[in-house]
Every structure is written in structure tokens, then in C-alpha cells.
């Protein structure tokens, strides 16, 4: 079976001043960009977890090729969104999932494909690394989803499980294929937009 894709896009973006899912970056909403990245990498199904402003996001974003679920407990933190997504993917019997945060627009399809290529039977998790440091996105095998969801509390997400099971996580260098830079503030968005425009000039 094909590795699934999971976009976590439920937060309200308190430091940004608006939900990140509704931020436009290079003529796409971030939530559309994240879903398209996973789809272009061959992930199926692609599941998107919404929360804050879910109705507005659903109206504004083109997510017709994605499975959309709403995390009513989004305000408790990213952990609940991860649990919501993995539970839904369990019902769909996905064998593994690449978890992508909505606010990392420089993650490329090639980067996701590299993570998937390092997944094999017996591999619990595969994480991107930049400069030798474990970062997002991460691929989680379905066999560890119960452990991951049990450890996902507040804004910790999968990090708690990854920290305590480092020996089961395969690190894959991805410096040449993308970046872990994220958008938390208006300054972050301005900087990434400026850098992207400069690189494409």
C-alpha cells in the first residue's frame, strides 16, 4: 500500500495573527501547498487536519483531492491534531504516513520521496535532518502510531515519542532538497517570501 500524507493545519496562528492554513505563499494557500507537495510525492491518501477557522479554510482552499477532517480540540495543541489525523488514517488502513506541518513551504516533493524511499518493513520512523539535526517532516510507520498518539500531549506532537525512541528513528539528510524554515510570525513570512523571490529572480 502507498504511504499516506498527513498535513497538520489546525492552529490559529496566534503569533502570525491568522490561521496559517489561510496564508498565501507563491499564489497558493499554505494548506494547498502542503497537500500538493505530499500528493506530488506520491502519497495517498493525503489527509488534512483543520481546526481554527475550519469552515473558512474549507471554503477558501482547493482541497478536492484530499481527505479533510476537523479537530474540534485544536486549541489544546498540535498533539490533538496529530492524534486526529493518525486515527483517521488508521481507519483507512494506511501502512505509514509522512507528517508535514502546514507552515513549512520549502519542503519539496523530492524531499518527501527521499523519506519514503528509506522506509522499509521494520523501520519505525524516518525523519528529515538538516545540518545533522532531526527536524520535520517525519514518516511514521503505522506500527508505532498507538505509541506516538499516547505521547502526543499539548504542542509536543510526535516529538515526545521521537525523543525517547531515537534509536528507532532513521535520520535522512535533506539539506539539498529543502528547508525546515517555518512561518510563525509576519516577519518570518516576509523573510521567506523575499528569499524565495530573490532565488527565483
Amino acid at each position: 500500500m502507498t504511504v499516506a500524507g498527513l498535513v497538520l493545519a489546525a492552529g490559529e496562528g496566534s503569533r502570525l495573527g491568522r490561521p496559517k492554513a489561510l496564508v498565501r505563499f507563491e499564489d497558493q494557500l499554505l494548506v494547498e501547498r502542503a497537500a500538493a507537495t505530499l500528493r506530488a510525492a506520491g502519497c495517498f491518501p493525503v489527509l488534512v487536519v483543520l481546526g481554527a477557522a475550519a469552515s473558512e479554510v474549507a471554503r477558501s482552499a482547493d482541497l478536492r483531492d484530499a481527505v479533510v477532517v476537523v479537530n474540534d480540540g485544536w486549541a489544546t495543541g498540535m498533539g490533538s491534531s496529530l492524534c486526529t489525523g493518525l486515527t483517521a488514517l488508521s481507519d483507512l488502513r494506511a501502512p505509514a504516513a509522512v507528517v508535514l506541518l502546514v507552515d513549512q513551504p520549502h519542503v519539496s516533493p523530492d524531499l518527501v520521496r527521499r523519506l519514503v524511499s528509506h522506509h522499509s518493513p521494520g523501520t519505525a520512523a524516518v525523519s528529515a535532518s538538516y545540518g545533522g539535526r532531526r527536524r520535520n517532516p517525519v514518516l511514521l510507520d503505522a506500527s508505532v502510531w498507538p505509541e506516538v498518539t499516547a505521547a502526543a500531549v499539548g504542542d509536543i506532537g510526535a516529538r515526545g515519542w521521537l525523543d525517547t525512541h531515537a534509536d528507532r528513528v532513521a535520520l535522512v539528510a535533506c539539506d539539498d532538497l529543502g528547508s525546515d524554515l517555518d512561518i510563525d510570525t509576519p516577519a518570518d513570512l516576509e523573510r521567506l517570501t523575499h528569499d524565495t523571490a530573490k532565488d527565483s529572480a
Side-chain angles (χ1 to χ4, degrees):
M1 294 180 66
T2 308
V3 170
L6 173 57
V7 179
L8 301 185
E12 65 178 341
S14 57
R15 295 168 59 195
L16 188 62
R18 51 183 159 151
K20 296 176 183 180
L22 290 169
V23 171
R24 189 164 290 279
F25 187 90
E26 289 192 317
D27 298 325
Q28 275 185 309
L29 297 180
L30 285 180
V31 68
E32 295 172 334
R33 185 182 181 95
T37 294
L38 293 172
R39 191 164 54 249
C43 294
F44 183 84
V46 174
L47 188 141
V48 178
V49 181
L50 302 180
S55 297
E56 183 179 355
V57 176
R59 287 195 306 270
S60 304
D62 181 2
L63 298 173
R64 73 185 79 180
D65 294 322
V67 178
V68 177
V69 296
V70 177
N71 171 25
D72 293 327
W74 63 266
T76 64
M78 186 194 307
S80 64
S81 292
L82 179 62
C83 292
T84 297
L86 292 181
T87 298
L89 288 175
S90 294
D91 293 340
L92 297 174
R93 300 188 181 279
V98 175
V99 182
L100 178 60
L101 307 184
V102 73
D103 64 350
Q104 293 187 307
H106 285 172
V107 171
S108 67
D110 283 343
L111 190 157
V112 175
R113 279 191 284 266
R114 181 174 289 178
L115 297 186
V116 173
S117 73
H118 282 77
H119 177 246
S120 60
T123 303
V126 183
S127 176
S129 72
Y130 309 89
R133 296 186 307 137
R134 191 192 78 224
R135 301 291 289 169
N136 291 307
V138 61
L139 181 152
L140 299 170
D141 189 82
S143 64
V144 301
W145 291 355
E147 300 174 32
V148 172
T149 55
V153 179
D155 274 325
I156 291 178
R159 189 175 73 245
W161 185 89
L162 294 168
D163 286 345
T164 56
H165 297 84
D167 59 324
R168 301 173 66 189
V169 182
L171 292 185
V172 178
C174 294
D175 307 76
D176 59 323
L177 294 179
S179 165
D180 65 334
L181 293 175
D182 56 8
I183 297 172
D184 287 328
T185 66
D188 293 337
L189 176 58
E190 182 177 356
R191 183 175 64 254
L192 279 180
T193 300
H194 176 267
D195 291 348
T196 301
K198 184 173 62 177
D199 290 342
S200 61

